[in-house]
Amino acid sequence: MKRIIALLAATTLALQMGLQPVEAGMSDKDKAAAAAAAIAILGIAALAHNKHHYEEGYEPGGGEETAEFERGYRDGVHGYPYWEGNRTSGYAAGYQAGDRERENSMAHRQQASAAKAPPMAYQGCAQIVARNFAVGIHQVHFTKARSPGKHEWMIEAAVGRQYMTCKMRDSGELIDLRGGRL
């Protein structure tokens, strides 16, 4: 999230610096159109960032519902109690998504030590899953791991509500990759 904000701030600054000499010759109508285009780009980037949090088929209806979803998501992901005073569908959907994300991020702590794959296998799987979902490695959470054969590991990884299963060697080499749960 911090990386996206920094990227957007740098892009905005670069656009402003690049447009200053040209701005003198621009009409008010052109300036308004440029501002609207910049706002649209920032809005698309913000929506694309959270697309993995939404359940299949759910999408907030407007700005207020998106804000309620984000509030619920933050409460769920940080383990805060459900706020009974807010009875909106956006908050409820966000809380469920945040709670699921919290469960996924803590799943590796609940695995038995015998079922943990080697670090190289986890690292290789995280890089591949992050690349497939176009997210950072820190957003990939491992929920399960098992060994179907000698020096092979089946690792279930989650990004938001979406899952992928990697079949990896101990060395971090990919054997097979498929969508879905283990």
Side-chain angles (χ1 to χ4, degrees), residues 70-128:
E70 290 300 322
R71 182 177 295 127
Y73 180 82
R74 278 192 309 274
D75 287 353
V77 84
H78 292 295
Y80 298 140
Y82 187 87
W83 181 31
E84 294 295 331
N86 189 339
R87 298 184 186 270
T88 63
S89 62
Y91 181 83
Y95 191 87
Q96 288 175 344
D99 192 47
R100 160 92 33 104
E101 183 75 17
R102 181 176 171 78
E103 287 176 15
N104 288 342
S105 69
M106 296 175 67
H108 69 281
R109 296 179 186 172
Q110 298 167 358
Q111 288 184 10
S113 60
K116 289 189 178 178
M120 293 291 287
Y122 281 125
Q123 184 178 11
C125 183
Q127 290 173 348
I128 292 165

Side-chain angles (χ1 to χ4, degrees), residues 3 10 24 31 35 37 42 51 58 63 65-66 68-69 78 86 88 100 111 124 127 130 146 148 153 158 165 167:
R3 194 179 308 167
K31 289 178 188 177
L42 293 175
K51 70 181 178 183
Y58 174 79
E65 189 175 350
T66 301
E68 290 299 317
F69 180 90
H78 292 295
N86 189 339
T88 63
R100 160 92 33 104
Q111 288 184 10
Q127 290 173 348
R146 66 179 175 85
W153 291 91
T165 301
K167 187 173 185 179

